[in-house]
């Protein structure tokens, strides 16, 4: 995985609470057997009208927010289904950092697995960012993962928490499996000491 | 002897499974049972292959085809129209064959929804760590196991190492005192709990459900409760094992046999949370006050009572919740103040890993017996597993239901998420026993109301929601 230390760029504001992973990537697109090809379907039911025409009212369809690397959203973003297709779709769509007051647990963990940063800011902080990005399309932010801080050029700055091991794996682009496989002996010892019953 | 600190069931199971842990880092946790289905696994197997890695313990994995499978009869070859679904099912067969993993395919008598067959096989046992690339894995916690959903990268990790890197979650006790009234079910209970804690209330926590009302539930009821823990934000829900748990497991294919079973019970009896152990959070709820529930909105926390009304956005405190409610009402095509019993439905779905077990089908049949589905309503019953279907047929439940005008289908996830051909059309309104009423979950533009099997069957017959507590059985 590529290391991720800092994300700078336009913020796409999605001012909704409880955006679940069924919205991020509707189930009709879960049938692919690859990790790629999901970006085109991100937020499909909101992004497109019945006949496949882009919905002009959906915020992410506005030209100013195209290609934004940062998504800001309301609380409990990514709740519901465990589908990793959700972060795959968002990453392929172009988002490298998602800012919200809170996240669904599995979604948050899935983001890290894919080298994306789910960043928890205060509700007030997120509200400020949403308001600025809505009022002023093209509004830019920097998410500094190493410094654990989100800031803009107009004086907004808020720091955030991130578990050290998560931060390390993002910044270093670590492969979890390779790391765990270094402990095969310990795993084998554990298995010997705890034989399964059936 | 020094007195040991009292521990919760979660802590005991967690500690028994830590393989290693460095200071300040998450634990490496051993996984006893890994359940696999066709939707979330292909990319994990692909990843293994690309990295030239192997599956460490194929014997600790159970794989099943459930999400994509059509629910039409399976006595002859099933034609899968959707080429991509076909590809996904083929990938599951191929991957499991390649890595030597047991697979219950569409035609297998052991096939069913992954969270129904785990317990049915006796593969789900107390004290285990169980994972699956599926957020409803918490279902298995009903047996006193630590069971939770994981993503595809984590599936790959478990395939390769039989372990998972996990930070220790917090614990929450949900204590349900009192007794449920007749006609009020486990589904109504968990919908009430979610209504109370909110859809993010359990985030970061493992819930243990305790109290008299929980002890009184059957194993099926306990599974319904644990199943929906994720709808309250919690990755896992669990219930201490007891005689009911052991009776359920005794004699099942994968459960220990003979003396080994009695030995196992001794260990399992040690799992319950010790007197005086502390949880990070406590929620109390009085079961006797719960009425049958119907969701009105687009998340499982949007819940009303059957005697109540659709709320108005102004009923909510924060501007965020108000906006959320207004959006939900608009999507659901409902007006504030509308009586729940005045909401007419087009479709009924009885099934899913929440309410697709034998007891659920019995409950639906008891309501349907001697009655008829309302004209214009299409009602579908989809058993949670092929074995459930067979047992229900032996009891004649299929006959009762089809006589009443319900469709009797083959096992799978079906209209819980509509990855197979069973979906709602835009604007169709459905009384569903599944677990998610998210926008478009059962089909784009579909309007889902979550209810118990009893309430779903009664709605099918009346054509709108009704209070099952008012129902008398029809004398045969
Ligand atoms: S029945 Fe529904 S919730 Fe359960 S595993 Fe299948 S799709 Fe998921």
């Amino acid at each position: 995985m590529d290391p991720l230390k800092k994300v700078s760029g336009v913020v796409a504001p999605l001012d909704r609470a409880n955006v679940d992973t069924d919205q991020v990537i509707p189930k009709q697109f879960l049938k692919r057997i690859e990790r790629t090809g999901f970006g085109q379907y991100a937020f499909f039911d909101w992004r497109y009208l019945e006949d496949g025409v882009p919905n002009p009212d959906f915020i992410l369809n506005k030209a100013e927010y195209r290609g934004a690397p940062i998504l800001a959203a309301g609380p409990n973003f990514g709740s519901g289904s465990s589908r990793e297709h959700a972060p795959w779709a968002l990453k392929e769509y172009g988002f490298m950092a998602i800012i919200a007051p809170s996240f669904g647990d599995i979604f948050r963990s899935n983001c890290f697995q894919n080298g994306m940063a789910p960043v928890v800011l205060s509700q007030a902080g997120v509200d400020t960012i949403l308001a600025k990005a809505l009022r002023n399309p093209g509004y830019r932010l920097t998410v500094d993962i190493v410094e654990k801080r989100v800031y803009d050029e107009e004086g907004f700055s808020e720091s955030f928490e991130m578990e050290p091991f998560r931060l390390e794996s993002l910044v270093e682009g670590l492969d979890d499996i390779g790391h765990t496989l270094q402990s095969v002996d310990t795993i084998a010892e554990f298995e010997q000491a705890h034989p399964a019953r059936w | 002897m020094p007195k040991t600190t009292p521990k919760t069931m979660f802590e005991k199971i967690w500690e028994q499974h830590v393989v290693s842990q460095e200071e300040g880092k998450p634990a490496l946790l051993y996984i006893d049972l890994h359940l696999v289905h066709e939707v979330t696994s292909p990319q994990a197997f692909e990843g293994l292959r690309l990295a030239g890695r192997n599956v460490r313990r194929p014997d600790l994995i159970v794989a099943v085809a459930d999400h994509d499978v059509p629910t039409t009869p399976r006595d002859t070859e099933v034609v899968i129209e959707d080429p991509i679904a076909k590809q996904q099912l083929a990938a599951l067969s191929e991957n499991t064959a390649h890595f030597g993993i047991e697979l219950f395919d569409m035609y297998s008598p052991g096939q069913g929804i992954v969270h129904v067959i785990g317990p049915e096989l006796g593969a789900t046992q107390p004290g285990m760590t169980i994972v699956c690339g599926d957020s409803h894995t918490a279902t298995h916690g009903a047996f006193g196991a630590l069971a939770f959903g994981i993503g595809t990268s984590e599936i790959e990790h478990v395939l390769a190492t039989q372990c998972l890197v996990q930070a220790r979650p917090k614990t929450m006790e949900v204590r349900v005192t009192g007794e449920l009234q007749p006609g009020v079910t486990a589904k109504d209970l968990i919908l009430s709990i979610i209504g109370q804690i909110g859809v993010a209330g359990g985030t970061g926590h493992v819930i243990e459900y305790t109290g008299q009302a929980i002890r009184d539930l059957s194993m099926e009821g306990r599974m319904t409760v644990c199943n929906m823990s994720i709808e309250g934000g919690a990755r896992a829900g669990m219930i201490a094992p007891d005689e009911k748990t052991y009776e359920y497991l005794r004699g099942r294919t994968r459960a220990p046999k003979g003396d080994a079973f009695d030995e196992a019970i001794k260990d399992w009896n040690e799992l319950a949370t010790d007197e005086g152990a502390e949880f990070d959070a406590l929620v109390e709820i009085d079961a006797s006050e719960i009425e049958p529930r119907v969701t009105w909105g687009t998340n499982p926390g949007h819940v009303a009572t059957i005697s109540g009304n659709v709320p108005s956005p102004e009923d909510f405190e924060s501007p965020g919740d108000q906006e959320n409610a207004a959006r939900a009402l608009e999507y659901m095509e409902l007006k504030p103040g509308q009586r729940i019993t005045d909401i007419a439905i087009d479709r009924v779905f009885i099934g899913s890993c929440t309410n697709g077990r034998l007891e659920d089908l019995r409950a639906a049949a008891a309501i349907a017996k001697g009655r008829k589905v309302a004209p214009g309503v299409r009602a579908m019953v989809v058993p949670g597993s092929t074995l459930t279907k067979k047992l229900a047929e032996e009891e004649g439940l299929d006959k009762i239901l089809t006589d009443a005008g319900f469709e009797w289908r083959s096992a799978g996830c079906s209209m819980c998420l509509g990855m197979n051909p069973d979906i709602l059309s835009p604007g169709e309104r459905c009384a569903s026993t599944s677990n998610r009423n998210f926008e478009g979950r059962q089909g784009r533009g579909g309007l889902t109301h979550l209810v118990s099997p009893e309430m779903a069957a009664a709605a099918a017959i009346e054509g709108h929601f009704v209070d099952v507590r008012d129902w008398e059985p029809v004398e045969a």
Side-chain angles (χ1 to χ4, degrees), chain A residues 16 22-23 27 30-32 34-35 45-46 48 80-81 84 105 109-110 180 191 197-198, chain B residues 30 43 56-57 82 88 128 151-153 156-157 204 254 267 327 417 419 436 439-441 444:
Chain A
R16 295 184 188 188
D22 276 70
Q23 297 334 308
K27 68 220 160 223
L30 302 185
K31 289 178 194 149
R32 301 176 62 82
E34 301 85 22
R35 281 173 197 254
D45 288 355
W46 291 342
Y48 298 100
S81 159
E84 199 162 313
D105 278 341
S109 151
N110 284 339
T180 301
E191 283 173 331
R197 245 188 227 107
W198 72 85
Chain B
Y30 198 79
Q43 293 86 353
R56 182 177 177 85
R57 294 293 302 268
D82 179 347
Q88 209 166 54
M128 280 185 164
T152 297
S153 297
E156 188 179 332
H157 192 282
R254 294 222 177 183
D267 291 348
R327 261 191 68 84
L417 92 168
M419 277 190 72
R436 285 189 176 138
E439 285 183 29
R441 169 90 176 172
R444 188 173 186 167

Side-chain angles (χ1 to χ4, degrees), chain B residues 66-67 113-115 134 136 227 352-354 412-413 416-417 435 441:
Chain B
D66 57 1
H67 282 61
I113 304 169
V114 64
H115 309 309
D134 195 286
H136 293 99
N227 173 275
S352 87
C353 59
T354 311
C413 293
C416 173
L417 92 168
N435 43 52
R441 169 90 176 172

Side-chain angles (χ1 to χ4, degrees), chain B residues 32 59 79 118 130 143 179 225 234 257 345 375 377 400 409 470:
Chain B
D32 296 321
D59 58 320
V79 180
I130 302 177
F143 291 79
E179 281 178 38
V225 168
K257 304 279 165 347
I345 49 133
V377 172
I400 295 172
R409 317 278 297 194
D470 304 337

